[in-house]
């Protein structure tokens, strides 16, 4: 691993003092944690990005949720780790994240801008149960009344319910839970390390019951596997029944690193779809615009039918919506939001 390279120079991500641990318990079997001391924790999103936020905090790199489509897989290649099994099992833990964040929030240059979390890898993945970084992070944000949002598939967020309530009393916060589909067979193979979709919807239900608005990022909508009208209807209905304030669809996109891993998975589990995917994603990482608009329109119509949509992108997380121009040949067409 390129710890030495990352630890040298003014742009280094980590120091060179790295402790690697393997923990032989059922929940962490097969996972190695690399404990590092980060040099910064509040990261600016590149200006060319389509993200609807400018600043992020990511206490982990790699993710045991092991979602085969995860766009963040590419980041592991920067450490000379592979974007497949290593991404799922070699987890970088920024053990000084809470204290570092508190220091950066007090810096004179910091203007109290919104901070998004869970936009790279999930900050409530299983590692959080051991390292407990998020309570310190949320406490720092609460103490500085700094607005923030969290996107997660993890039910562990409910552990921090009281801290979230305290933060919501002094600043704007937004919580979104990612639920792209309800199909249990699809979930077991494509998101093997995550809580079941219905458990994630229980998170929405609990947060809402405690006065914390929560939206659902319906992501990803997986072509030919999770996009039938009946599947979309069932998912939106369940989202509405859980009390979500909004639902935002996001069609599967396959960036380098994730693309190779997902296509290998597809060839093993659904070989009959490989050629269809090769055609659909022939022009790049994203599904064709017509398909994105079709899914977005269907979800918006279903959301309206169930009393929860459509809405402006970003509302559920209290963050500015990205400026997404409508297609010139169809100005009234809904456009898919790109968050991750």
């Amino acid at each position: 691993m390129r710890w030495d390279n990352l630890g040298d120079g003014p742009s280094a991500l980590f120091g060179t003092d790295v402790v690697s641990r393997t923990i032989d318990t059922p929940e962490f079997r097969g996972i190695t944690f690399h404990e590092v001391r980060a040099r910064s924790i509040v990261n600016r999103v590149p200006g060319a990005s389509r993200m609807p936020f400018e600043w992020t905090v990511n206490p982990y790199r790699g993710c045991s949720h092991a979602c085969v489509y995860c766009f963040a897989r590419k980041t592991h290649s920067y450490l000379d780790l592979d974007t497949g099994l290593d991404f799922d099992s070699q987890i970088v833990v920024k053990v000084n994240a809470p204290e570092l964040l508190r220091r950066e929030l007090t810096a004179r240059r910091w203007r109290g801008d919104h901070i998004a979390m869970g936009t790279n890898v999930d900050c409530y993945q299983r590692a959080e149960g051991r390292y407990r970084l998020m309570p310190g992070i949320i406490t720092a944000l609460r103490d500085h009344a700094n607005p923030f949002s969290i996107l997660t598939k993890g039910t562990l967020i409910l552990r921090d319910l009281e801290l979230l309530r305290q933060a919501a009393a002094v600043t704007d916060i937004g919580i979104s839970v990612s639920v792209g589909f309800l199909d249990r067979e699809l979930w077991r193979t494509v998101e093997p390390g995550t809580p079941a979709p219905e458990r994630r919807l229980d998170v929405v239900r609990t947060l809402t019951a405690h006065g914390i608005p929560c939206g659902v990022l319906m992501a990803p909508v997986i072509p030919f596997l999770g996009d039938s009208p009946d599947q979309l209807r069932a998912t939106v209905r369940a989202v509405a029944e859980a009390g979500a304030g909004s639902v935002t669809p996001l069609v599967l996109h396959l960036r380098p690193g994730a693309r190779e891993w997902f296509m290998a998975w597809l060839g093993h589990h659904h070989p009959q779809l490989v050629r269809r995917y090769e055609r659909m994603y022939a022009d790049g990482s994203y599904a064709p615009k017509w398909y994105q608009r079709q899914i977005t329109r269907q979800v918006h119509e279903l959301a309206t039918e169930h009393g929860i949509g459509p809405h402006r992108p970003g509302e559920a997380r209290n963050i500015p919506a990205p400026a997404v121009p409508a297609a010139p040949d169809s100005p009234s067409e809904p456009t898919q939001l790109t968050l991750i």
Side-chain angles (χ1 to χ4, degrees):
M1 215 183 308
R2 292 190 293 162
W3 298 118
D4 289 344
N5 292 349
L6 291 171
D8 293 335
S11 61
L13 297 177
F14 315 129
T16 56
D17 182 16
V18 179
V19 177
S20 297
R21 302 183 190 276
T22 57
I23 303 163
D24 191 22
T25 58
E27 67 270 29
F28 297 127
R29 188 159 293 146
I31 297 177
T32 299
F33 296 111
H34 304 285
E35 300 173 359
V36 304
R37 296 191 65 81
R39 297 193 172 180
S40 64
I41 198 66
V42 180
N43 304 305
R44 184 189 291 272
V45 177
S49 171
R50 297 167 65 188
M51 302 292 188
F53 42 80
E54 187 176 0
W55 301 96
T56 64
V57 164
N58 295 296
Y60 301 99
R61 290 180 69 160
C63 187
S64 59
H65 280 170
C67 301
V68 297
Y69 52 76
C70 182
F71 85 100
R73 289 182 175 276
K74 179 67 174 176
T75 62
H76 251 42
S77 67
Y78 308 151
L79 304 177
D80 281 348
L81 293 168
D82 73 56
T83 62
L85 290 176
D86 282 351
F87 180 85
D88 302 339
S89 62
Q90 304 284 327
I91 310 300
V92 178
V93 184
K94 303 172 187 177
V95 293
N96 61 332
E99 63 193 77
L100 189 54
L101 175 60
R102 188 172 290 276
R103 188 177 76 196
E104 294 185 22
L105 292 178
T106 60
R108 294 182 63 182
R109 65 180 179 277
W110 181 247
R111 303 300 181 188
D113 295 327
H114 179 100
I115 291 175
M117 292 176 283
T119 60
N120 190 33
V121 299
D122 204 314
C123 48
Y124 281 105
Q125 61 177 285
R126 276 180 283 166
E128 174 61 17
R130 172 178 173 81
Y131 288 96
R132 300 182 60 87
L133 300 180
M134 288 302 292
I137 288 171
I138 296 171
T139 298
L141 292 164
R142 178 204 65 189
D143 292 350
H144 288 84
N146 201 104
F148 66 90
S149 60
I150 298 172
L151 171 63
T152 186
K153 289 185 176 79
T155 56
L156 189 57
I157 190 174
L158 294 181
R159 178 201 63 192
D160 298 336
L161 178 59
E162 181 55 33
L163 279 174
L164 292 171
R165 292 179 61 184
Q166 294 171 15
V170 297
T171 191
D172 290 331
I173 76 168
I175 309 296
S176 279
V177 174
S178 178
V179 183
F181 48 84
L182 301 182
D183 187 300
R184 290 188 66 86
E185 183 177 351
L186 181 59
W187 158 65
R188 289 180 189 279
T189 58
V190 81
E191 300 172 343
T194 66
E198 58 268 27
R199 291 188 60 203
R200 291 178 240 162
L201 290 174
D202 286 341
V203 170
V204 176
R205 192 172 288 109
T206 301
L207 290 172
T208 302
H210 285 83
I212 300 175
C214 186
V216 167
L217 183 63
M218 193 169 161
V221 176
I222 303 179
F224 318 125
L225 292 172
D227 64 346
S228 73
D230 287 346
Q231 287 172 309
L232 296 178
R233 177 177 294 277
T235 302
V236 173
R237 180 172 60 245
V239 167
E241 290 173 352
S246 62
V247 58
T248 302
L250 183 65
V251 172
L252 174 74
H253 57 273
L254 297 173
R255 298 183 189 176
R259 187 187 188 104
E260 298 84 352
W261 191 243
F262 179 86
M263 292 302 291
W265 171 86
L266 191 70
H268 178 73
H269 291 276
H270 304 281
Q272 75 282 5
L273 294 178
V274 170
R275 292 297 299 274
R276 298 182 73 179
Y277 266 81
E278 289 174 346
R279 290 192 295 268
M280 174 168 273
Y281 291 90
D283 294 332
S285 301
Y286 294 88
K289 287 291 186 183
W290 66 263
Y291 178 83
Q292 295 183 34
R293 295 191 186 103
Q294 174 182 296
I295 294 297
T296 301
R297 185 188 306 109
Q298 288 178 278
V299 171
H300 281 181
E301 290 173 355
L302 290 167
T304 299
E305 179 182 326
H306 289 86
I308 58 171
H311 70 291
R312 245 183 9 101
E315 281 183 355
R317 297 174 62 192
N318 292 328
I319 55 181
V324 182
D329 59 337
S330 186
S332 62
E333 292 289 333
T335 305
Q336 173 179 288
L337 172 65
T338 299
L339 284 179
I340 56 177

